[in-house]
Amino acid sequence: MMPQLDTNPLPVGVVCTDTIEQLNPFVPSGAVTDQRRTERTGNNSKRRRITRNKATGTLQVLLTLTPLFIADIAALTFSILAATLSLVLLGLIGLHPGLLLNSICVMTFYVACAAIYGLYPGTGMSPVLELRQCVLASMAAFAFAIVANLVLATLSVTELAIFLMASALASLIVPLARLTTRRLCSTTSWWGENAIIIGSGPQGRAIYRYYSRAPQRGLRPLGVVDFAKTASSQDSLELTGIPYLGSVQRLERLRRKTQARWSIVAPGGCQTIDMNEVLSHAGNFSNVLILPSQMQLPSLWSGSRECAGAMGIHLKDHLHNHPARAIKRFVDICLSGFALTILSPFILAFVLLLKLRDPGPAFYGQTRVGKDGKLFKAWKFRTMVINADQVLEDYLENDPDMRQEWIEYQKLQNDPRVISGIGSFLRKSSLDELPQLWNVMKGDMSLVGPRPCMTSQTSLYGSVLPLYQRVRPGITGLWQVSGRNKTTYDQRVRFDSYYVTNWSPWLDIYILIHTIKTIVLREGAY
């Protein structure tokens, strides 16, 4: 009997450590760290059974894009109505007779732009890229409507006000509507497109596990095929609960039988691989996705380029985009200053509660490593007892299991140093890091970035430390919204490497949105 595969939903769909741990991190200086594989372990919560979409290939596409199309139209309609009613109730404008025609024009322009940007059906699209494409399509649709009114008719002040406000609302509501729709539809058996993984090595298995646990991406992995069908490869896959579909020679037969539209070639860890043979058998798939390298190259903003008749991978390093980095710093200053002003009464209240609960300073500063290796003092509310280091050492000395947990995660789930009551609340809600807004104002940190590490932890980064030091550390980051304390420190290093090599303002926006969810649900915090 085949064992159950852990298919618990992932906390975030940006990146999977099981996948990137099969790759060597890409460092601009050329340094590469040794690979270290770390398996995620599931919990005992209810597991989702993986099913294939039994519809025909074309119908799979229609069933996948239709709910997203309806969600987009509904979100645009709501945005236009909300903007109109808000302005009417405020007495700024009156009802416009051409509202219906303008709305139809906006939706038509949006659908055209969304199709060009690949949002239909959007199968396998990164949520960060989908966020960017949705915002750009929304803004372009309303911009086209404004230009159309200027050229073909008369643009009134009422129409301009509605378009501008509705555009801002749609940039927020459309991505949220699509996210909700993806999560709802991913629980059904008719949504998504079937995919077959080519390669039974560690990389292929990681890809299968990832898409099985992130069905909202729209890909339904059916199983794995390999080259020579050996008993050892079949047994090893069945031990991990991954269906083994046979050798690569059966691909065409499997494609017709399962109506799979996608094949994903994952050669990592395979002893022998003949790409000519793979492509000859996978050539009839509508979509073939090839993972071409064992290097963890930037994946969000890279693309293929023709180079003297050969395919090349064009890498974009947005950290060299000085206007984008200037905007990031400007936003850091504005938002941190605004947050410090608004939250100052709460900060004062937390200071008083900490003073009443435990004598000593309310703030705690610890030396951390920042951009370009510069040391700075990161501030937090003091949520631990005064003699925290001695308490920790005594605790670890008497409990070998907890010492092992500390070595692996650099965190303790039941930390004896934490002040009971207010200290525990501040840590679980992540509010203990509010004073770091001052570090952001000063320029030591950013709102989004890698988690600031201690000087004693720099050795854990190995030769990817130069990546960490390319950017300012952040109050929140990819690690915080991807499991946080449930991940090992090695996985945290992988998250930091991914963030730096794939940085863009859109990735920051995505992380900030998910940070709100993480704080509210207290995901991975203790």
Side-chain angles (χ1 to χ4, degrees):
M1 180 178 178
M2 184 177 291
Q4 290 290 327
L5 180 71
D6 181 11
T7 57
N8 296 308
L10 293 173
V12 68
V14 177
V15 61
C16 172
T17 54
D18 279 350
T19 303
I20 63 176
E21 280 173 3
Q22 311 310 318
L23 308 175
N24 294 321
F26 168 75
V27 184
S29 62
V32 180
T33 59
D34 295 332
Q35 288 178 299
R36 179 176 179 267
R37 178 174 174 78
T38 305
E39 296 291 340
R40 284 180 179 268
T41 56
N43 52 37
N44 295 323
S45 59
K46 184 178 180 181
R47 291 169 176 167
R48 189 198 320 270
R49 183 183 177 186
I50 305 167
T51 58
R52 72 179 179 92
N53 190 336
K54 297 181 180 180
T56 62
T58 303
L59 188 56
Q60 287 181 30
V61 178
L62 291 176
L63 291 174
T64 302
L65 71 84
T66 299
L68 297 176
F69 173 82
I70 294 174
D72 289 345
I73 297 301
L76 287 170
T77 302
F78 178 83
S79 300
I80 295 173
L81 290 178
T84 303
L85 291 177
S86 298
L87 294 173
V88 170
L89 291 176
L90 290 174
L92 300 177
I93 63 170
L95 287 175
H96 192 276
L99 180 61
L100 178 59
L101 179 59
N102 281 322
S103 300
I104 294 175
C105 291
V106 168
M107 294 175 192
T108 303
F109 288 137
Y110 175 86
V111 171
C113 292
I116 294 172
Y117 289 151
L119 290 172
Y120 300 129
T123 303
M125 180 177 285
S126 164
V128 180
L129 180 59
E130 185 174 35
L131 170 66
R132 185 187 74 166
Q133 305 298 65
C134 284
V135 173
L136 292 179
S138 300
M139 296 178 67
F142 284 99
F144 284 144
I146 292 174
V147 172
N149 275 274
L150 283 172
V151 175
L152 303 177
T154 303
L155 179 67
S156 65
V157 176
T158 298
E159 291 172 321
L160 180 61
I162 293 175
F163 285 151
L164 293 177
M165 186 172 182
S167 175
L169 290 174
S171 297
L172 175 64
I173 296 173
V174 171
L176 291 177
R178 289 179 70 94
L179 175 63
T180 304
T181 302
R182 282 183 177 273
R183 292 193 178 277
L184 292 176
C185 291
S186 65
T187 62
T188 67
S189 60
W190 51 265
W191 190 81
E193 298 184 56
N194 295 333
I196 295 176
I197 314 298
I198 303 174
S200 63
Q203 189 180 49
R205 302 180 196 188
I207 293 293
Y208 180 90
R209 285 193 298 267
Y210 174 68
Y211 283 114
S212 298
R213 299 177 62 195
Q216 64 272 19
R217 286 287 189 98
L219 284 175
R220 292 184 178 273
L222 305 179
V224 171
V225 302
D226 209 340
F227 300 93
K229 183 178 179 181
T230 62
S232 59
S233 61
Q234 183 173 357
D235 292 343
S236 62
L237 281 169
E238 289 181 349
L239 286 175
T240 58
I242 299 176
Y244 182 72
L245 304 179
S247 66
V248 70
Q249 286 80 13
R250 299 188 65 232
L251 262 180
E252 177 58 23
R253 180 181 173 186
L254 288 168
R255 183 191 69 83
R256 291 196 303 266
K257 179 181 178 181
T258 62
Q259 294 293 318
R261 289 176 45 82
W262 288 76
S263 65
I264 303 176
V265 183
C270 296
Q271 293 182 354
T272 59
I273 183 168
D274 185 346
M275 289 303 299
N276 289 328
E277 182 182 11
V278 169
L279 293 178
S280 67
H281 291 291
N284 288 329
F285 282 83
S286 300
N287 303 276
V288 180
L289 182 61
I290 302 175
L291 308 184
S293 174
Q294 280 296 95
M295 294 291 294
Q296 185 188 327
L297 299 174
S299 59
L300 275 182
W301 316 116
S302 60
S304 61
R305 285 285 183 93
E306 190 274 339
C307 183
M311 187 198 77
I313 299 177
H314 181 207
L315 305 180
K316 296 181 180 179
D317 188 349
H318 285 198
L319 290 176
H320 291 299
N321 187 336
H322 298 293
R325 296 190 69 170
I327 292 173
K328 176 180 172 70
R329 181 62 189 142
F330 176 76
V331 172
D332 280 344
I333 294 173
C334 293
L335 290 184
S336 60
F338 177 76
L340 282 172
T341 303
I342 297 298
L343 298 175
S344 55
F346 297 97
I347 294 175
L348 179 60
F350 292 147
V351 169
L352 295 176
L353 289 173
L354 284 170
K355 287 284 189 180
L356 292 173
R357 189 67 183 85
D358 189 81
F363 298 100
Y364 172 73
Q366 189 175 48
T367 301
R368 299 293 176 110
V369 181
K371 186 176 182 293
D372 299 324
K374 295 179 181 179
L375 302 181
F376 70 97
K377 185 165 289 188
W379 292 100
K380 301 175 69 173
F381 284 120
R382 185 178 64 85
T383 58
M384 296 185 178
V385 295
I386 295 294
N387 57 336
D389 292 338
Q390 185 60 46
V391 170
L392 176 64
E393 185 58 36
D394 293 342
Y395 184 68
L396 298 181
E397 185 69 27
N398 298 321
D399 195 326
D401 292 337
M402 291 298 100
R403 179 173 289 278
Q404 182 60 36
E405 180 181 337
W406 174 261
I407 292 174
E408 186 173 2
Y409 295 97
Q410 296 289 296
K411 293 274 188 179
L412 292 176
Q413 186 165 359
N414 298 310
D415 200 321
R417 302 170 295 172
V418 178
I419 300 172
S420 60
I422 182 62
S424 178
F425 166 77
L426 289 175
R427 290 176 67 84
K428 289 183 178 181
S429 61
S430 301
L431 295 176
D432 60 322
E433 297 177 356
L434 280 180
Q436 289 178 6
L437 290 169
W438 176 246
N439 289 115
V440 176
M441 283 285 292
K442 289 176 58 182
D444 297 327
M445 295 178 62
S446 176
L447 291 175
V448 182
R451 190 79 188 105
C453 71
M454 297 181 288
T455 53
S456 60
Q457 295 172 329
T458 54
S459 60
L460 298 175
Y461 279 80
S463 55
V464 299
L465 182 62
L467 274 182
Y468 168 86
Q469 295 177 346
R470 290 188 69 193
V471 298
R472 293 183 177 90
I475 296 180
T476 186
L478 197 55
W479 170 72
Q480 285 91 328
V481 300
S482 303
R484 200 174 169 183
N485 295 322
K486 296 179 182 178
T487 59
T488 65
Y489 204 91
D490 182 67
Q491 290 173 329
R492 168 176 160 178
V493 172
R494 296 278 178 169
F495 282 128
D496 289 345
S497 300
Y498 180 91
Y499 172 81
V500 176
T501 55
N502 289 278
W503 177 80
S504 79
W506 298 103
L507 182 56
D508 280 358
I509 293 171
Y510 184 87
I511 291 174
L512 284 172
I513 293 173
H514 275 266
T515 297
I516 298 173
K517 171 194 168 187
T518 301
I519 292 176
V520 172
L521 299 181
R522 299 186 182 184
E523 293 177 345
Y526 51 75

